[in-house]
Amino acid sequence: MATTSLSGLQAFAADIGLQQVPSFAEADVLNNPLDIYHAYLAEHLKTLVECDPHLVYNSIHPSNGIENGDLDIVLPQLKLPSVSPKELAGELLKKPHPLFAAPFKDGIHIRFFFSTKTLPRLLLPYINGRKEKYGVYAPLNLQNGTYSVPKKVIVDFSSPNIARDFTAAHLRSTILGAFVANLHSSMGYSVVKINYLGDWGKNLGLLGVGWQKYGSDEALAEQEDLFRYIHDLYAKMEKELQPEQDARKKARDDGKDTSILESQGLFAERDATFKRMEDGDPDAIALWEKLRAISVDYYSKNFARFNLKFDEFSGESKVSLNPDTVAEVESALKEKGIYEEDSGAWVIDFDKHGAKLGKAALRDRNGSTTYLLRDIATVFDRLKTHAFDKMVYVVCEQDVHFRQVFKAVELMGHPNVANKLQHITFPKPNTIVSPTGNALLLSDILDQCENSMHEVITASPPQYQLEHCAGASKLMGINSLLLQELAARKGHSSGLDFNLLTLADGDTGTSLQLCYARLCAAIAGIRTQPSQEDVAHLDYSPLSEPPWSDLLRLLARYPEAIHAAFKILDPAPILTYLFRVVEELTACLDEAAEDEDEASGSAPSSVPAARAVLYEQVRQVLENGLKLLGAIPISRK
């Protein structure tokens, strides 16, 4: 019986002996099973207290953890000071409800556990009817139009620099940004994934000088790895520039004017080459296009290795090569009286305009645009191109920079646009150190993850009995990389650890994947699989005791974990949830293995059928969670 419509859900509730599902504006009973329980408990409580129905509903909350119950009534939120927990608990005991076990008082709370007799009959068909859609839906306030719906969201992330190292910060931005995009997409938003390449600026001028000195189309044609060739060329030029950078630093530290040093030598060559790019010199632009195309091709192929495809490879060059948007920004800043000349440069003194963000240059003394000016112009360029309702930048640190961008947009007279902008930041991760000592490029990092996992799996075959072992080891290595990076705490700077990557114990990406594979093997090992029609009518009494009942109670919380993650745009609630499911699932699988050893196949027929349905719904929830995080689930032999 379908439960995906309200009429179907009401019919299903009647079929399992329940009254009509109560209606509360706050309850989304078609997408969140906890809300069904929440609505029934609120209706039950409403008969015992004289209180506004919405106050009654909102006084009930999911418990902090299943060890404390499933739903709590928080008495002060009823705003009935004369009602004592003991008396109300007593009244509730006198009027038991088929969905709940007997309540108990705990300070200002009255706590409820779901009845394990009715829980599987309600929950398992509910998940089974939704499958991959379980847990993914727009929040209720967006469904009913209480607030305006951000229809289009741009997620700006990754942002590697042409020809330069792919750092730990780029890696984390890529993986976290992909998750943020997936999360918005799952909630019904139209998502545009943009990789804002570092494809403009003086570093490109330095690479251009290097090409003129050491590069050629003939040398490029001989290379198997084009991106590594231009990367090594840039590294060579950085080394040549270092003495001049050291001299400038010393002069600055001594309080001397650095303009003379910057007007000669490699500094001058670099700046002149970049200026020719900005002026649209055909030869400079042709070289830039060649180097950029090499970079885009390289990154597209390597991002595909972890199932990531960008909708757009943009960059600072876009507004730089179309100066109209930049000119409009500068004109608006001048009209508002917030753009001023300072020693030949053009700046905004944010402190003068109520923001303690210092003074920032938008044009250098030589007339070149700065990163800040290009980012401000990009906001308006994207507004014209995409008409976005929200734009999220997932970028390591740079908090002051993005606050300057958002404030400048506001000062230009566009506070409504500034309010659409959001920056998700994280501390700079530690430098990636691989066992080979070579992890400068994205392909190096991915190769090392795949190779490390393959070595471990090859050395420990009984623990890693995976289908298509060679291909699975590569996929597991990439998945473990994604999950490890997402598990990194926002406030910590821990970087990629190749040793932790392959650990099969504890809360690791590898242990999560192995448990999923073990579950798939357990499902395949059950000879008789119930049909879809049988799911609503099976005998689920074998699931009424822990750890089986605890696993069921966790499954009901999956939508809550998704929405907790969406609220803060952080994967932590989902990862915490999945590891908790794995903990309970492992206990169930271990108990099932013991039962098989002791009973030698003589268990009642209802046991394997009930477990088969539970296992399949757990598998579905784990698959949904893993895919949302960006991983691809792997089966076991």
Side-chain angles (χ1 to χ4, degrees), residues 510-533:
T510 299
S511 68
L512 178 54
Q513 294 178 85
L514 288 176
C515 187
Y516 179 87
R518 183 186 176 190
L519 173 62
C520 291
I523 293 172
I526 298 175
R527 295 179 182 177
T528 303
Q529 297 288 337
S531 68
Q532 295 294 313
E533 293 74 21

Side-chain angles (χ1 to χ4, degrees), residues 96-116:
H97 192 283
L99 288 182
F100 301 97
F104 64 96
K105 63 183 181 66
D106 182 11
I108 61 171
H109 300 84
I110 298 178
R111 302 192 188 277
F112 290 80
F113 283 87
F114 297 154
S115 166
T116 57

